[in-house]
Amino acid sequence: MPGRAEGGAAGRGASRRAVALAFAIFTTLLPLPALAQNRPDVEKQFQRWIAGDLAPVAKKAGISEKTMKAAFQGITLNWDLPDLVPPGSEPPKQQDQSQAEFSSPGAYFSEKRLQGLAETGRGLASTYSATLKKIEAVYGVPGEIVVAIWGRESGFGKARMPYSAVQVLATKAFMSTRRDMFREELIAALKMIEQGDVDPATMKGSWAGALGQPQFMPSSYLKYAVDFDGDGRPDIWNSVPDALASIAHYLQKEGWQRGRDWGFEVTIPAKVSCAQEGPDLAKPISAWAATGITRISGKAFPAADLKADGMMLVPAGRNGPEFVVTPNFYVIKEYNNSDLYALFIGNLADRIASGAGPFQAPWGDVGKMLRSDVLAMQKALVAKGYDVGNVDGLPGYKTRRSLGDWQAKNGLAPTCFPDPSLKGKIR
């Protein structure tokens, strides 16, 4: 970490370390704004870190001195970013979970927002219909999926991205809770500049360092960005064809199955256990249908899907919409690792393509438990031999299905979602 005590006699080194330790202890007791008086010293450490720590790593990665000079000309730390850990302070401790830390999944699906995105998305899908057809022909990803992600990520390219990506990434690589990750992204951003894809002044992004209309991190840009308008370089900031094709290329490379939908809202009979969800419990959609699972719309499952794999998904357990999803659902999750994000994109895409509306089943009154209570349930289930995934107080699919399995084995009707009635029962 920058700011290490430098050489000298053992006694002087020990003394300096003692002073540094005392200062660190003192500063950790101060709120971040109180550290502002030390900002000039931290800025100096930042510049030393660029020259002494970052520059050698960048050189090994093929970054020239010319690029380094251009990228960091006038760059200072951005103190307004979240999750910063300045030298002399400690990472924030995990907050005491004294309040509900997750809300009902239904809160994610703002109908007003979805209607607005769908209306704009339909217009843009028409405007760029020829481009989207070419993109689907090349990458196999339907235009409505691409447009839905475009809308969700950057408001169809209209969202304000005011931050210097180099400044954001450098600040976070120097003093954030995930320094290693952001250092890798900073090196990737410097490679973009080195190969002439973008200049530092043009490389604008979000407060997290995500770039352009698709909101790619620099490493994703290097892997997936494509030049689809034929001007010789991928421009995800200003070229709509490049941005849309890059989104499709991302999904294709992550395994998108051409000709398949993302999934279907269904009705799961009470006799069918809800503790069967997850990508690792896939079975042919015909097998799900044989258990009595039907599409809530009343339509039949597409014939082409019957022999292909599908997976049960119950994001609110028995207290909300139920789904059979395809592997493409999990490809969307590669873009943003959230069941609700992928459902949002799927629903928005359906609205854009066919004028669909909200999911038909209502979201129940769930998600008001304390995260610490869910964490206690997870720990108790793990002690009984269940695999709940991440033991973090959040009810992912492994937690939901483990809970449903435990309920069934203990004479309770499986709900596959934590609720207050279960507090203290799982021990």
Side-chain angles (χ1 to χ4, degrees):
M1 174 178 272
R4 313 186 277 280
E6 296 180 2
R12 291 199 302 272
S15 175
R16 289 174 180 173
R17 286 192 293 274
V19 171
L21 178 61
F23 176 76
I25 293 172
F26 171 71
T27 53
T28 57
L29 299 177
L30 297 175
L32 187 57
L35 289 167
Q37 60 186 323
N38 301 310
R39 288 185 182 182
D41 290 337
V42 176
E43 291 283 359
K44 291 177 182 177
Q45 292 181 45
F46 176 56
Q47 295 302 325
R48 292 198 296 270
W49 172 80
I50 293 172
D53 289 40
L54 180 66
V57 175
K59 184 177 181 180
K60 288 183 180 179
I63 310 302
S64 66
E65 291 185 14
K66 178 181 178 182
T67 292
M68 288 292 291
K69 184 176 180 179
F72 289 101
Q73 182 69 36
I75 290 290
T76 59
L77 292 165
N78 185 334
W79 292 86
D80 295 328
L81 300 175
D83 303 320
L84 299 184
V85 186
S89 64
E90 294 181 352
K93 294 181 180 179
Q94 186 174 3
Q95 293 182 350
D96 182 25
Q97 307 298 347
S98 60
Q99 299 180 7
E101 290 295 326
F102 61 92
S103 60
S104 168
Y108 193 87
F109 298 89
S110 165
E111 183 59 20
K112 181 177 180 181
R113 185 183 186 196
L114 276 161
Q115 287 182 359
L117 287 172
E119 182 178 358
T120 303
R122 282 191 292 271
L124 290 170
S126 176
T127 299
Y128 293 102
S129 61
T131 297
L132 290 167
K133 287 178 181 177
K134 292 178 183 177
I135 288 172
E136 182 168 3
V138 174
Y139 301 111
V141 182
E144 61 266 21
I145 293 288
V146 174
V147 173
I149 291 175
W150 183 32
R152 180 68 175 79
E153 292 297 324
S154 66
F156 309 105
K158 300 300 183 183
R160 187 167 172 262
M161 300 291 168
Y163 297 96
S164 160
V166 171
Q167 183 187 42
V168 167
L169 295 169
T171 297
K172 287 180 170 285
F174 174 66
M175 58 172 195
S176 79
T177 55
R178 294 181 292 168
R179 292 192 299 271
D180 291 344
M181 185 204 84
F182 282 105
R183 178 183 290 216
E184 291 177 4
E185 294 297 341
L186 177 57
I187 294 297
L190 294 172
K191 287 181 179 179
M192 293 169 59
I193 298 170
E194 180 72 28
Q195 62 193 29
D197 288 336
V198 63
D199 62 73
T202 305
M203 190 185 283
K204 299 290 187 179
S206 73
W207 59 265
L211 306 174
Q213 298 186 39
Q215 284 293 274
F216 280 176
M217 294 301 288
S219 60
S220 291
Y221 175 95
L222 293 175
K223 291 179 184 176
Y224 307 113
V226 295
D227 170 25
F228 207 74
D229 62 11
D231 70 351
R233 67 186 183 94
D235 183 359
I236 61 173
W237 291 268
N238 304 300
S239 169
V240 171
D242 287 3
L244 297 180
S246 295
I247 292 170
H249 186 223
Y250 184 111
L251 297 176
Q252 181 211 41
K253 288 298 185 182
E254 292 299 329
W256 187 272
Q257 295 184 3
R258 185 185 291 263
R260 297 202 69 190
D261 208 326
W262 66 269
F264 314 93
E265 186 181 1
V266 300
T267 299
I268 301 175
K271 66 179 181 179
V272 178
S273 172
C274 56
Q276 301 181 73
E277 70 169 317
D280 54 339
L281 296 180
K283 62 177 70 174
I285 288 181
S286 59
W288 292 115
T291 68
I293 293 176
T294 58
R295 292 180 67 179
I296 201 168
S297 64
K299 298 178 181 178
F301 290 107
D305 277 302
L306 290 176
K307 294 182 179 180
D309 278 346
M311 302 83 162
M312 181 187 290
L313 177 75
V314 285
R318 286 290 192 176
N319 303 303
E322 302 165 337
F323 304 90
V324 169
V325 298
T326 76
N328 286 342
F329 175 86
Y330 294 97
V331 174
I332 297 173
K333 281 189 65 177
E334 292 296 324
Y335 211 98
N336 185 324
N337 188 24
S338 161
D339 286 341
L340 300 186
Y341 175 88
L343 286 172
F344 188 102
I345 295 301
N347 182 248
L348 178 56
D350 289 348
R351 292 172 186 244
I352 291 170
S354 60
F359 297 128
Q360 293 187 39
W363 295 95
D365 188 21
V366 296
K368 294 186 176 180
M369 287 189 65
L370 303 185
R371 187 168 170 179
S372 56
D373 289 332
V374 179
L375 183 65
M377 289 184 190
Q378 289 175 324
K379 290 180 178 179
L381 287 167
V382 168
K384 295 179 181 296
Y386 287 95
D387 177 8
V388 301
N390 293 327
V391 182
D392 56 6
L394 297 175
Y397 76 87
K398 288 186 177 181
T399 294
R400 297 192 297 261
R401 74 185 185 193
S402 293
L403 183 58
D405 189 38
W406 179 89
Q407 288 173 308
K409 289 178 179 178
N410 286 271
L412 302 174
T415 62
C416 298
F417 206 85
D419 67 71
S421 72
L422 297 172
K423 288 172 61 176
K425 291 183 178 179
I426 308 174
R427 295 179 179 176

